[in-house]
Amino acid sequence: MTSSDQLIYVNNHKLALAIIPTMDINEDDDIPMLVASEENELEIEEEPPDLVCAESSARVPVTILTGYLGAGKTTLLNYILTQQHNKRIAVILNEFGEGSSMEKSLNVGQGGDLFEEWLELRNGCLCCSVKDNGVKAIENLMKKRGKFDYILLETTGLADPGPIASLFWMDKQLESEIYLDGIITVLDSKYGEKNISEKKPDGIINEAVRQVALADLLILNKIDLVDEHQLRTVTQLVRTINGSAAMVQTQRCKVDLDRILDLHAYDCFDIEAYEQTLRSRFIDDLPHLDQRVRTVTVEVEGSMTQEGLDSLVETLLWERSLITSSGENIKVYRMKGILSIIGECRRVMLQAVQELYETEPVHIWPEHVPRSCKLVLIGENINETDIRSFLSNLVSAVPNVP
Ligand SMILES: Nc1nc2c(ncn2[C@@H]2O[C@H](COP(=O)(O)OP(=O)(O)OP(=O)(O)O)[C@@H](O)[C@H]2O)c(=O)[nH]1
Ligand SMILES: [Zn+2]
């Protein structure tokens, strides 16, 4: 173990970094190449119509592992690292206090020939963009040590994953070498209900709820400790908050790696999952649950102007000025959408977390699919009626012509 003075500091959080060396990759292995021959033209493979994705790139994915205290984050991390994945994985542990991250990284190393690299980042200037610092530190490390294939970041149990996600949210223009792949939230099936239901003073939304709300994949762990009824209850609770994340039930976080890695949650829009969310019904009579945070899916037929899109982003993400009919302020944590914009023949994908967003024209609208604007929103005080009327105002104001 190298000395503890080499750490990355971001936002006063200490980020410890460990790199797992390449496993089972034979560097000399030839990578087969596809060659087009005259009589056998390469067919361009069509993307499955249900998954609309931005152009993929060679950047390195970052997955954020979050979950309440003791839910099983480290268990999941260790499980991933011991599986066959043929990836060179860097692990970042996000810790508050001194000392504990050292322990944790030792933990991660058990059973594997882990080597560790610690990196120091000058902590003096928090006024300049801390985001740049954290990402730069990782990029510098990749320069020094060779590129890794994947980055896993375990947050503390009390972390709000929102700001951490925005830390790793990289604008295409920044040409960063890394990108946010998704947020995985591990839940304790036995204590999840208690954690989610805990009330915080001043009406603040508690961390367990935020972690569930921001998840792209929810892992209901420790199912060995609950009976069917308890499992159903906690599943319902979680679904009421986040209706759009994928969900798996596990014991000791054992789950197929394909379900965890390369989720592309921030550069793809899964239309089938969207339809499923539309069909799922939220349960309204869960009296002990703070039901302010929930998921809403809306679709309005027609197109909007670019100005309409700007105004959507401004109102929902920056000014947070949309007020519900019962006088509450809508706060969006996460938003994604597929929009039809006038003058754009492609579907425009919208992705947002906190106040950050990105739009990108993706695939041509299929001829048989009517133009529409679909949105998924997760956040506080969101309800379908108010969101639908807000979106309808933006869409119906203009004729439905491309
Ligand atoms: N019974 C049972 N115990 C589990 C399961 N998964 C993890 N544990 C245990 O739960 C405890 C906490 O697991 P960790 O992986 O350390 O949880 P964590 O989320 O990383 O915890 P913190 O980092 O302290 O917030 C450990 O003792 C694990 O062995 C499970 O599926 N069933
Ligand atoms: Zn842990």
Side-chain angles (χ1 to χ4, degrees):
M1 170 70 69
T2 38
S3 71
S4 64
D5 59 356
Q6 291 180 312
L7 294 164
I8 307 176
Y9 287 93
V10 178
N11 262 354
N12 283 331
H13 300 185
K14 189 165 63 180
L15 296 183
L17 204 132
I19 304 166
I20 313 306
T22 313
M23 290 166 67
D24 299 310
I25 295 181
N26 184 350
E27 308 248 321
D28 297 330
D29 272 357
D30 284 336
I31 297 160
M33 299 249 292
L34 286 176
V35 184
S37 71
E38 264 169 54
E39 61 277 5
N40 189 10
E41 286 280 41
L42 264 192
E43 273 186 33
I44 296 168
E45 204 182 307
E46 261 196 34
E47 198 143 356
D50 286 337
L51 199 62
V52 182
C53 294
E55 232 168 83
S56 62
S57 66
R59 295 178 300 160
V60 179
V62 180
T63 291
I64 296 173
L65 301 181
T66 189
Y68 210 68
L69 302 166
K73 301 176 291 294
T74 306
T75 305
L76 176 62
L77 197 59
N78 285 327
Y79 171 75
I80 296 172
L81 296 177
T82 53
Q83 293 301 292
Q84 287 290 332
H85 43 59
N86 287 352
K87 286 183 198 294
R88 191 162 182 261
I89 299 179
V91 176
I92 300 175
L93 303 169
N94 175 201
E95 283 301 323
F96 290 90
E98 290 287 322
S100 45
S101 67
M102 294 283 283
E103 254 167 62
K104 290 269 183 68
S105 353
L106 278 171
N107 213 1
V108 168
Q110 276 169 12
D113 24 331
L114 170 73
F115 74 87
E116 283 167 76
E117 172 91 14
W118 302 84
L119 197 88
E120 188 175 20
L121 190 90
R122 254 163 269 121
N123 198 19
C125 187
L126 281 173
C127 54
C128 23
S129 166
V130 281
K131 169 170 161 173
D132 283 0
N133 286 348
V135 171
K136 278 241 166 62
I138 293 172
E139 288 180 345
N140 287 342
L141 194 70
M142 289 203 280
K143 274 197 198 99
K144 227 172 76 191
R145 295 244 49 121
K147 212 165 179 166
F148 8 92
D149 307 304
Y150 215 99
I151 297 167
L152 297 172
L153 187 150
E154 181 190 336
T155 75
T156 64
L158 291 174
D160 173 359
I164 300 171
S166 38
L167 205 69
F168 289 95
W169 174 284
M170 288 286 106
D171 215 284
K172 281 258 159 59
Q173 276 91 8
L174 291 176
E175 294 183 353
S176 165
E177 288 175 56
I178 63 179
Y179 73 93
L180 181 60
D181 183 64
I183 300 177
I184 299 177
T185 300
V186 185
L187 266 135
D188 185 321
S189 298
K190 189 171 161 79
Y191 293 109
E193 181 181 353
K194 182 173 167 283
N195 298 336
I196 288 169
S197 311
E198 217 152 86
K199 296 263 190 314
K200 288 194 75 160
D202 304 329
I204 298 167
I205 300 292
N206 85 42
E207 295 86 358
V209 173
R210 288 176 193 272
Q211 292 168 352
V212 169
L214 277 153
D216 299 297
L217 171 69
L218 284 157
I219 297 183
L220 274 181
N221 188 39
K222 306 197 187 183
I223 54 166
D224 54 306
L225 301 181
V226 291
D227 59 27
E228 240 175 73
H229 172 75
Q230 287 172 297
L231 192 58
R232 219 176 14 248
T233 309
V234 72
T235 306
Q236 280 179 345
L237 274 180
V238 164
R239 266 287 169 247
T240 307
I241 298 168
N242 187 333
S244 85
M247 200 190 279
V248 284
Q249 300 177 348
T250 60
Q251 236 183 83
R252 306 222 162 252
C253 292
K254 288 197 182 82
V255 54
D256 195 343
L257 289 195
D258 289 345
R259 300 211 55 182
I260 306 180
L261 305 179
D262 299 308
L263 293 178
H264 290 282
Y266 283 79
D267 59 5
C268 287
F269 187 94
D270 188 338
I271 293 175
E272 199 181 283
Y274 168 86
E275 309 282 347
Q276 240 169 45
T277 312
L278 269 184
R279 284 193 296 271
S280 63
R281 285 277 140 252
F282 299 112
I283 299 129
D284 276 318
D285 55 346
L286 299 165
H288 56 297
L289 178 68
D290 180 344
Q291 289 208 297
R292 280 175 298 165
V293 180
R294 52 168 62 209
T295 308
V296 160
T297 353
V298 285
E299 174 168 17
V300 173
E301 271 203 24
S303 309
M304 64 169 82
T305 57
Q306 182 59 46
E307 291 72 38
L309 172 57
D310 295 343
S311 140
L312 181 143
V313 166
E314 245 170 65
T315 310
L316 290 180
L317 301 179
W318 296 351
E319 293 166 2
R320 290 187 158 183
S321 52
L322 188 63
I323 309 286
T324 66
S325 34
S326 38
E328 292 137 339
N329 216 208
I330 286 181
K331 288 189 196 153
V332 176
Y333 296 177
R334 175 87 164 94
M335 172 162 66
K336 46 197 164 177
I338 287 287
L339 309 171
S340 172
I341 305 295
I342 292 190
E344 173 59 67
C345 62
R346 290 165 294 178
R347 289 165 150 165
V348 173
M349 179 166 59
L350 167 71
Q351 287 281 358
V353 64
Q354 307 272 106
E355 76 285 1
L356 299 174
Y357 82 102
E358 196 167 51
T359 55
E360 196 172 350
V362 275
H363 299 269
I364 305 276
W365 279 96
E367 253 171 54
H368 59 280
V369 177
R371 298 282 190 117
S372 72
C373 296
K374 287 186 169 80
L375 280 184
V376 180
L377 295 110
I378 304 176
E380 287 171 47
N381 302 319
I382 291 177
N383 68 83
E384 191 183 333
T385 316
D386 290 311
I387 293 294
R388 184 175 293 283
S389 100
F390 170 70
L391 185 62
S392 298
N393 280 336
L394 295 173
V395 173
S396 60
V398 292
N400 183 22
V401 283

mmCIF file of all heavy atoms in Angstrom, residues 3 56 80 87-88 132 137 224 251 279 310 330 332 341-342 350 366 373-374 390 397:
data_model
loop_
_atom_site.group_PDB
_atom_site.id
_atom_site.type_symbol
_atom_site.label_atom_id
_atom_site.label_comp_id
_atom_site.label_asym_id
_atom_site.label_seq_id
_atom_site.Cartn_x
_atom_site.Cartn_y
_atom_site.Cartn_z
ATOM 1 N N SER A 3 1.385 5.478 0.246
ATOM 2 C CA SER A 3 0.997 6.366 1.337
ATOM 3 C C SER A 3 -0.324 7.073 1.042
ATOM 4 O O SER A 3 -0.734 7.256 -0.085
ATOM 5 C CB SER A 3 2.081 7.403 1.557
ATOM 6 O OG SER A 3 2.064 8.304 0.473
ATOM 7 N N SER A 56 -21.874 5.924 -30.360
ATOM 8 C CA SER A 56 -20.998 5.460 -29.283
ATOM 9 C C SER A 56 -19.580 5.941 -29.555
ATOM 10 O O SER A 56 -19.220 6.285 -30.665
ATOM 11 C CB SER A 56 -21.035 3.944 -29.192
ATOM 12 O OG SER A 56 -20.559 3.408 -30.385
ATOM 13 N N ILE A 80 -18.086 -7.768 -8.499
ATOM 14 C CA ILE A 80 -17.759 -7.401 -9.886
ATOM 15 C C ILE A 80 -16.279 -7.677 -10.166
ATOM 16 O O ILE A 80 -15.919 -8.227 -11.199
ATOM 17 C CB ILE A 80 -18.048 -5.900 -10.159
ATOM 18 C CG1 ILE A 80 -19.540 -5.603 -10.015
ATOM 19 C CG2 ILE A 80 -17.573 -5.482 -11.554
ATOM 20 C CD1 ILE A 80 -19.904 -4.124 -10.084
ATOM 21 N N LYS A 87 -11.818 -6.837 -18.241
ATOM 22 C CA LYS A 87 -11.705 -5.388 -18.267
ATOM 23 C C LYS A 87 -10.665 -4.944 -17.245
ATOM 24 O O LYS A 87 -10.477 -5.598 -16.221
ATOM 25 C CB LYS A 87 -13.042 -4.739 -17.886
ATOM 26 C CG LYS A 87 -14.104 -4.800 -18.958
ATOM 27 C CD LYS A 87 -15.323 -4.047 -18.458
ATOM 28 C CE LYS A 87 -16.582 -4.399 -19.218
ATOM 29 N NZ LYS A 87 -16.581 -3.988 -20.601
ATOM 30 N N ARG A 88 -10.036 -3.861 -17.552
ATOM 31 C CA ARG A 88 -9.118 -3.267 -16.591
ATOM 32 C C ARG A 88 -9.933 -2.193 -15.862
ATOM 33 O O ARG A 88 -10.296 -1.169 -16.432
ATOM 34 C CB ARG A 88 -7.971 -2.634 -17.363
ATOM 35 C CG ARG A 88 -6.824 -2.209 -16.536
ATOM 36 C CD ARG A 88 -5.587 -2.011 -17.415
ATOM 37 N NE ARG A 88 -4.451 -1.652 -16.611
ATOM 38 C CZ ARG A 88 -4.032 -0.403 -16.473
ATOM 39 N NH1 ARG A 88 -4.616 0.579 -17.106
ATOM 40 N NH2 ARG A 88 -2.988 -0.153 -15.692
ATOM 41 N N ASP A 132 -13.779 19.720 -13.118
ATOM 42 C CA ASP A 132 -12.596 19.567 -13.955
ATOM 43 C C ASP A 132 -11.499 18.829 -13.211
ATOM 44 O O ASP A 132 -10.837 17.976 -13.748
ATOM 45 C CB ASP A 132 -12.052 20.938 -14.371
ATOM 46 C CG ASP A 132 -12.910 21.515 -15.480
ATOM 47 O OD1 ASP A 132 -13.868 20.829 -15.865
ATOM 48 O OD2 ASP A 132 -12.624 22.617 -15.935
ATOM 49 N N ALA A 137 -7.885 14.557 -12.946
ATOM 50 C CA ALA A 137 -7.037 13.659 -12.168
ATOM 51 C C ALA A 137 -7.106 12.248 -12.742
ATOM 52 O O ALA A 137 -6.096 11.566 -12.879
ATOM 53 C CB ALA A 137 -7.476 13.659 -10.713
ATOM 54 N N ASP A 224 -32.432 -12.830 1.090
ATOM 55 C CA ASP A 224 -32.469 -13.985 1.997
ATOM 56 C C ASP A 224 -33.008 -13.589 3.371
ATOM 57 O O ASP A 224 -33.374 -14.445 4.160
ATOM 58 C CB ASP A 224 -31.057 -14.581 2.135
ATOM 59 C CG ASP A 224 -30.022 -13.543 2.548
ATOM 60 O OD1 ASP A 224 -29.931 -12.496 1.858
ATOM 61 O OD2 ASP A 224 -29.319 -13.765 3.552
ATOM 62 N N GLN A 251 -28.997 -11.864 -3.815
ATOM 63 C CA GLN A 251 -28.382 -12.265 -2.568
ATOM 64 C C GLN A 251 -26.897 -11.998 -2.726
ATOM 65 O O GLN A 251 -26.303 -12.429 -3.716
ATOM 66 C CB GLN A 251 -28.600 -13.761 -2.367
ATOM 67 C CG GLN A 251 -29.286 -14.077 -1.068
ATOM 68 C CD GLN A 251 -29.403 -15.569 -0.893
ATOM 69 O OE1 GLN A 251 -28.472 -16.207 -0.448
ATOM 70 N NE2 GLN A 251 -30.538 -16.102 -1.272
ATOM 71 N N ARG A 279 -47.179 1.976 -18.399
ATOM 72 C CA ARG A 279 -48.199 0.995 -18.018
ATOM 73 C C ARG A 279 -48.252 0.740 -16.511
ATOM 74 O O ARG A 279 -49.261 0.323 -15.985
ATOM 75 C CB ARG A 279 -47.957 -0.327 -18.749
ATOM 76 C CG ARG A 279 -48.396 -0.285 -20.218
ATOM 77 C CD ARG A 279 -48.431 -1.677 -20.807
ATOM 78 N NE ARG A 279 -47.111 -2.294 -20.847
ATOM 79 C CZ ARG A 279 -46.268 -2.167 -21.863
ATOM 80 N NH1 ARG A 279 -46.598 -1.452 -22.909
ATOM 81 N NH2 ARG A 279 -45.084 -2.751 -21.835
ATOM 82 N N ASP A 310 -35.648 25.056 -25.263
ATOM 83 C CA ASP A 310 -34.865 25.914 -24.365
ATOM 84 C C ASP A 310 -35.697 26.306 -23.144
ATOM 85 O O ASP A 310 -35.208 26.291 -22.011
ATOM 86 C CB ASP A 310 -34.418 27.195 -25.088
ATOM 87 C CG ASP A 310 -33.455 26.885 -26.232
ATOM 88 O OD1 ASP A 310 -32.905 25.764 -26.255
ATOM 89 O OD2 ASP A 310 -33.268 27.755 -27.112
ATOM 90 N N ILE A 330 -41.905 22.269 -8.292
ATOM 91 C CA ILE A 330 -41.428 21.012 -8.879
ATOM 92 C C ILE A 330 -39.905 21.017 -8.963
ATOM 93 O O ILE A 330 -39.311 21.978 -9.452
ATOM 94 C CB ILE A 330 -42.054 20.804 -10.271
ATOM 95 C CG1 ILE A 330 -43.530 20.401 -10.094
ATOM 96 C CG2 ILE A 330 -41.289 19.770 -11.089
ATOM 97 C CD1 ILE A 330 -44.270 20.143 -11.376
ATOM 98 N N VAL A 332 -36.847 18.769 -10.375
ATOM 99 C CA VAL A 332 -36.481 17.605 -11.181
ATOM 100 C C VAL A 332 -35.081 17.123 -10.785
ATOM 101 O O VAL A 332 -34.147 17.900 -10.750
ATOM 102 C CB VAL A 332 -36.512 17.957 -12.680
ATOM 103 C CG1 VAL A 332 -36.051 16.785 -13.522
ATOM 104 C CG2 VAL A 332 -37.909 18.395 -13.091
ATOM 105 N N ILE A 341 -38.467 17.962 -32.774
ATOM 106 C CA ILE A 341 -38.185 19.392 -32.860
ATOM 107 C C ILE A 341 -38.407 19.845 -34.308
ATOM 108 O O ILE A 341 -37.933 19.185 -35.240
ATOM 109 C CB ILE A 341 -36.719 19.690 -32.432
ATOM 110 C CG1 ILE A 341 -36.430 19.136 -31.033
ATOM 111 C CG2 ILE A 341 -36.423 21.193 -32.509
ATOM 112 C CD1 ILE A 341 -37.193 19.770 -29.910
ATOM 113 N N ILE A 342 -39.110 20.938 -34.459
ATOM 114 C CA ILE A 342 -39.400 21.441 -35.810
ATOM 115 C C ILE A 342 -38.106 21.761 -36.548
ATOM 116 O O ILE A 342 -37.203 22.393 -35.986
ATOM 117 C CB ILE A 342 -40.305 22.674 -35.705
ATOM 118 C CG1 ILE A 342 -41.656 22.202 -35.185
ATOM 119 C CG2 ILE A 342 -40.426 23.403 -37.037
ATOM 120 C CD1 ILE A 342 -42.733 23.197 -35.227
ATOM 121 N N LEU A 350 -33.059 13.812 -25.090
ATOM 122 C CA LEU A 350 -32.760 14.739 -24.001
ATOM 123 C C LEU A 350 -32.339 13.913 -22.795
ATOM 124 O O LEU A 350 -32.973 12.924 -22.454
ATOM 125 C CB LEU A 350 -34.018 15.552 -23.672
ATOM 126 C CG LEU A 350 -34.028 16.364 -22.376
ATOM 127 C CD1 LEU A 350 -33.091 17.566 -22.464
ATOM 128 C CD2 LEU A 350 -35.434 16.852 -22.061
ATOM 129 N N PRO A 366 -38.810 7.252 -37.763
ATOM 130 C CA PRO A 366 -39.347 6.274 -38.708
ATOM 131 C C PRO A 366 -40.651 6.832 -39.277
ATOM 132 O O PRO A 366 -41.401 7.501 -38.566
ATOM 133 C CB PRO A 366 -39.632 5.049 -37.835
ATOM 134 C CG PRO A 366 -38.928 5.300 -36.542
ATOM 135 C CD PRO A 366 -38.785 6.767 -36.379
ATOM 136 N N CYS A 373 -43.548 14.092 -28.396
ATOM 137 C CA CYS A 373 -42.535 14.395 -27.377
ATOM 138 C C CYS A 373 -42.822 13.535 -26.156
ATOM 139 O O CYS A 373 -43.898 13.628 -25.555
ATOM 140 C CB CYS A 373 -42.585 15.873 -27.007
ATOM 141 S SG CYS A 373 -42.157 16.930 -28.396
ATOM 142 N N LYS A 374 -41.839 12.703 -25.825
ATOM 143 C CA LYS A 374 -41.973 11.808 -24.669
ATOM 144 C C LYS A 374 -41.011 12.285 -23.591
ATOM 145 O O LYS A 374 -39.846 12.547 -23.890
ATOM 146 C CB LYS A 374 -41.518 10.396 -25.040
ATOM 147 C CG LYS A 374 -42.416 9.594 -25.930
ATOM 148 C CD LYS A 374 -41.813 8.177 -26.038
ATOM 149 C CE LYS A 374 -42.742 7.183 -26.699
ATOM 150 N NZ LYS A 374 -42.775 7.252 -28.133
ATOM 151 N N PHE A 390 -47.966 21.501 -18.946
ATOM 152 C CA PHE A 390 -46.764 22.281 -19.263
ATOM 153 C C PHE A 390 -46.212 21.866 -20.634
ATOM 154 O O PHE A 390 -45.925 22.707 -21.485
ATOM 155 C CB PHE A 390 -45.717 22.053 -18.162
ATOM 156 C CG PHE A 390 -44.346 22.588 -18.464
ATOM 157 C CD1 PHE A 390 -44.104 23.946 -18.500
ATOM 158 C CD2 PHE A 390 -43.285 21.712 -18.720
ATOM 159 C CE1 PHE A 390 -42.829 24.439 -18.797
ATOM 160 C CE2 PHE A 390 -42.026 22.191 -19.008
ATOM 161 C CZ PHE A 390 -41.793 23.560 -19.049
ATOM 162 N N ALA A 397 -48.499 24.703 -29.265
ATOM 163 C CA ALA A 397 -48.395 26.077 -29.764
ATOM 164 C C ALA A 397 -47.923 26.112 -31.206
ATOM 165 O O ALA A 397 -48.014 27.125 -31.865
ATOM 166 C CB ALA A 397 -47.448 26.871 -28.880
#
